[in-house]
Amino acid sequence: MIDSDGNLLWELPISIDHTDEIVIGPIDPDHGDLIAIVSGWEGFMLLAPDGTILKRTINGHGQRISVGNYLSQNRGLEILTTTYWGSQGILYMHNCKGEELWSRELRCNGAVITPVNWDGSGQDLVLLSASTEHGGLMDGEGDIVVPFPDDGHPELCCEVLDITGDEREEIVVWDLKSLWVYTQDRAKSKSDKTYLPIKYPHYNASNYRGEFCFPRWIES
């Protein structure tokens, strides 16, 4: 961490690898903003803004990280990480304190683990990939609740965007030849408030940002 004049404020003990993704925000209600990162073989870390390591787990090469309201009955938000090199494709779900809730090994590699406001209920789902066999949207318990149909859609790339403008999000899948958009098969429920989480800016979408989905309800 450096200040606006370039002075070093603090640094992390990362010497054998590098940090792949970072999420900063109000993850734990007992704290202000926290920093959640995955740093390859240096593991997953949850930090205070002053650099204090609140939780650190080394459970493989941490590659991607996302934060969302994956288990709405729990206090705070959940942190999901996945591994890559070595024993790749292992998901780890953590609570807002960074404590592991469960782990699951996928049968494929390269899950994007992006949070998805799919039905507007306030509970986020997780986009794994566009694969018909191994992908789909997963809930906070690790179950696939929205599979992709076997309809010939491209499976190379996928992203989460609000395209139709009803606050819920769509899944965009594409390859070099075509682009498809998947949306919900039912109308948005009518209520006084709408779930519209604060998410990463679209222009910053790349491999070098963590996925975050901080809950927010707005008046309809």
Side-chain angles (χ1 to χ4, degrees):
M1 177 70 73
I2 61 174
D3 65 16
S4 58
D5 295 320
N7 300 310
L8 179 65
L9 301 180
W10 53 263
E11 58 185 334
L12 295 176
I14 299 175
S15 59
I16 64 171
D17 217 322
H18 62 270
T19 295
D20 273 302
E21 291 192 333
I22 304 173
V23 175
I24 303 173
I27 300 170
D28 183 350
D30 294 331
H31 295 270
D33 287 346
L34 294 180
I35 306 168
I37 72 173
V38 280
S39 304
W41 297 111
E42 300 278 9
F44 155 67
M45 284 177 271
L46 187 62
L47 316 168
D50 64 0
T52 301
I53 299 176
L54 304 176
K55 185 72 174 181
R56 183 175 189 178
T57 305
I58 301 176
N59 50 18
H61 181 104
Q63 182 71 21
R64 296 188 67 91
I65 188 169
S66 67
V67 171
N69 193 28
Y70 296 136
L71 295 165
S72 57
Q73 72 275 16
N74 288 0
R75 189 167 180 264
L77 303 179
E78 286 71 47
I79 307 164
L80 182 63
T81 65
T82 185
T83 59
Y84 194 60
W85 304 107
S87 301
Q88 60 260 55
I90 301 175
L91 302 178
Y92 294 94
M93 182 69 77
H94 311 80
N95 64 16
C96 65
K97 306 286 185 186
E99 299 166 341
E100 184 181 322
L101 300 176
W102 55 260
S103 64
R104 174 187 175 191
E105 184 172 0
L106 301 178
R107 297 184 61 189
C108 61
N109 193 20
V112 296
I113 64 169
T114 305
V116 186
N117 176 27
W118 185 247
D119 61 6
S121 67
Q123 179 174 341
D124 299 309
L125 300 180
V126 180
L127 172 62
L128 297 179
S129 73
S131 170
T132 300
E133 184 177 2
H134 302 297
L137 303 186
M138 181 186 74
D139 66 13
E141 301 289 349
D143 297 320
I144 302 299
V145 293
V146 183
F148 280 97
D150 187 8
D151 53 6
H153 69 269
E155 299 185 0
L156 179 63
C157 302
C158 56
E159 184 57 282
V160 179
L161 297 169
D162 176 19
I163 293 178
T164 64
D166 68 353
E167 290 86 31
R168 297 178 300 177
E169 292 171 317
E170 283 68 50
I171 310 299
V172 182
V173 300
W174 72 94
D175 59 15
L176 297 177
K177 298 180 179 180
S178 64
L179 181 147
W180 294 34
V181 177
Y182 287 95
T183 191
Q184 301 79 13
D185 61 359
R186 63 200 66 173
K188 183 174 71 72
S189 60
K190 295 181 179 180
S191 62
D192 294 334
K193 292 185 177 181
T194 299
Y195 181 61
L196 182 60
I198 300 172
K199 300 194 70 174
Y200 51 88
H202 295 160
Y203 62 82
N204 195 34
S206 77
N207 183 53
Y208 299 104
R209 57 93 172 92
E211 308 277 5
F212 58 88
C213 193
F214 298 125
R216 178 179 61 156
W217 292 88
I218 62 172
E219 298 293 336
S220 298

